[in-house]
Amino acid sequence: PLYRLQRETVLKSDYINADDTPILFKNAKGHGAEKGHMWGYLCRLEKPPDEPPGEPEDTSRKQLMFFEFTRDWSSKHPENTLKNFRGFLQSDGYVGFQKIAERDGVTAIGCWSHCRRKFFEAAKAGVKDAEYFASLINILYRIEHRMAKLKCMGQSESAIQELRRKRATRVMNRFFAKAKSTFALPKSPLGKALTYAINQERALRQYATQLRFAPDNNSCENILRPLCLGKKNYMFFGSECGGKTASILYTLIGSCRANRVNPYEYLKDILARINSHPNSQLETLLPHNWRPSAR
């Protein structure tokens, strides 16, 4: 019940980050393993009016997430999960997420970190032109750091956003003008990086339209890291059902960590309370709302 409620809570947001990672699970016959997939969805919670403001860089208390396990990497899974979603969807260039962004009422936001990674790979392969594109992306991130400092100094959000938009747009105009005038073989490292950037131009520009948008999808990639670390140890889920159980546990434990709640104390408390807890007040047991019961 808590998992379903948390899922609904995240999907009500108008700004969601989405990402995915492959993971093995043992098939029903118990012979060998198949490649399944874990999908992660993240939203940022608004701070209550009576809560004092924190540091601009500290977004950990404003995050809520859920995970879903599926047998394959089909685009039908995120399409089904987000079928009623309306708002801004930030992700990488995966086709399943792009299909969702084509719907009415959904706007795609790209990931500059993912884009930069492709130019870094081209630069490592010895392509000098790739370094220029990577340097422009780095300037976008320096602008973000400068805006964070201005926020600490007490500048108004409207003034910061306008300055951010002007500076970022100027850099992005240079980036895409150069990208469209640069020739590279389509299958070369630079060609692949340029194709990705040009195809994602509209989504990559979108982050600069509102101050609450991040330039990348790193926050969602970060919530998948514990799972990536875990699968190196346990290697695979014992079954498809085990994968679905893991998605529930990763959802609750991940949200505990994001909201500075001790996962052990949380699970110990709610498992003892949930059978007798009023269903109408179930939201009080979600990690970001949880308060320990009186002993």
Side-chain angles (χ1 to χ4, degrees), residues 15-220:
Y15 175 28
I16 290 179
N17 293 74
D19 202 3
D20 61 275
T21 187
I23 191 164
L24 298 175
F25 69 99
K26 292 188 71 174
N27 59 36
K29 296 180 180 179
H31 303 300
E34 299 180 24
K35 182 180 285 187
H37 237 74
M38 189 71 85
W39 308 83
Y41 300 91
L42 172 75
C43 74
R44 289 162 183 78
L45 300 171
E46 296 295 331
K47 287 188 176 183
D50 58 345
E51 183 177 326
E55 293 295 323
E57 295 83 0
D58 180 15
T59 59
S60 61
R61 296 193 63 203
K62 300 186 290 181
Q63 295 181 349
L64 195 62
M65 68 195 71
F66 75 91
F67 297 89
E68 283 187 337
F69 173 78
T70 61
R71 291 180 59 92
D72 53 50
W73 196 29
S74 171
S75 62
K76 68 182 180 183
H77 300 302
E79 288 182 65
N80 182 61
T81 297
L82 298 170
K83 61 184 178 183
N84 296 319
F85 172 71
R86 296 293 180 271
F88 300 91
L89 177 64
Q90 188 160 26
S91 66
D92 57 24
Y94 172 60
V95 63
F97 297 135
Q98 299 309 304
K99 287 181 179 179
I100 296 166
E102 294 172 359
R103 298 175 183 168
D104 290 339
V106 180
T107 301
I109 305 177
C111 177
W112 277 104
S113 178
H114 198 82
C115 182
R116 179 172 58 178
R117 205 172 300 152
K118 295 181 180 296
F119 286 103
F120 278 165
E121 291 170 0
K124 286 181 180 179
V127 183
K128 288 294 183 182
D129 285 346
E131 296 177 3
Y132 174 76
F133 292 102
S135 67
L136 287 178
I137 299 174
N138 286 340
I139 293 174
L140 292 177
Y141 280 92
R142 287 204 292 272
I143 292 172
E144 294 301 298
H145 292 312
R146 176 57 181 164
M147 297 304 105
K149 289 181 179 179
L150 290 177
K151 191 170 184 179
C152 287
M153 294 166 61
Q155 287 274 8
S156 68
E157 290 194 357
S158 59
I160 293 173
Q161 167 55 22
E162 182 59 20
L163 184 61
R164 179 202 198 210
R165 184 190 63 78
K166 287 182 178 179
R167 291 185 177 181
T169 299
R170 192 159 52 235
V171 175
M172 288 189 288
N173 287 343
R174 289 173 57 193
F175 177 92
F176 287 110
K178 180 67 174 177
K180 293 172 184 177
S181 63
T182 300
F183 173 78
L185 293 174
K187 293 187 178 180
S188 67
L190 180 59
K192 291 178 180 179
L194 289 171
T195 299
Y196 179 88
I198 293 171
N199 288 343
Q200 290 283 302
E201 179 179 1
R202 185 175 179 180
L204 288 169
R205 286 179 177 273
Q206 188 65 40
Y207 89 93
T209 60
Q210 293 188 35
L211 195 58
R212 61 176 175 149
F213 298 152
D216 54 49
N217 200 37
N218 287 354
S219 57
C220 199

